[in-house]
Amino acid sequence: MFILRPIIRILVTAITVLIISHYIPGIQVENFTGAILFAVVFGVINIVIKPIVKFFALPIRLLTLGLFTFVINALLFMLTSYFIDAVEVDGFLPALYASLIVSIVTVVLNSFLKNK
């Protein structure tokens, strides 16, 4: 079960990004393999870079009552698309919408995975 959780998270994130690309203009995904690669790199960026960025952005996060976290997520989504050629993000607002949807799906998925 230990190795199954990360695989499920990667697959769900990849499927979510594929679905998002059909409904949000400004997000293009070439294929499922690109979405899988995007999900893996996005996970690594969230594990490695996100805590550092959140630490240095703590004052502004406190001033905005945590809403700046959405901006951080969108910027990390854009950063991931910069590294992955199969996924293209055409601006900040599509990245913001997509990162919000991915965050919601991740929270729901984590609630299901923790219950079992």
Side-chain angles (χ1 to χ4, degrees):
M1 188 65 176
F2 177 72
I3 193 72
L4 192 59
R5 286 182 183 177
I7 292 172
I8 291 172
R9 287 182 180 151
I10 289 169
L11 286 174
V12 168
T13 302
I15 292 168
T16 304
V17 170
L18 271 175
I19 293 171
I20 286 170
S21 70
H22 292 296
Y23 293 103
I24 296 178
I27 307 284
Q28 293 88 27
V29 179
E30 286 182 12
N31 51 29
F32 186 67
T33 307
I36 292 282
L37 187 59
F38 180 87
V40 170
V41 173
F42 191 58
V44 170
I45 284 177
N46 276 329
I47 290 171
V48 175
I49 296 175
K50 188 175 184 176
I52 297 167
V53 173
K54 285 176 75 173
F55 174 76
F56 285 112
L58 185 62
I60 196 164
R61 286 179 43 224
L62 290 174
L63 286 174
T64 61
L65 302 175
L67 292 177
F68 192 72
T69 304
F70 296 128
V71 173
I72 293 171
N73 288 341
L75 292 174
L76 293 178
F77 197 89
M78 290 176 70
L79 177 66
T80 306
S81 72
Y82 175 77
F83 291 120
I84 306 301
D85 291 333
V87 178
E88 189 174 322
V89 178
D90 293 335
F92 180 76
L93 280 179
L96 180 65
Y97 298 146
S99 67
L100 284 172
I101 294 169
V102 169
S103 296
I104 291 168
V105 170
T106 302
V107 166
V108 171
L109 176 67
N110 285 337
S111 70
F112 282 121
L113 289 178
K114 286 184 181 179
N115 287 337
K116 296 187 177 189

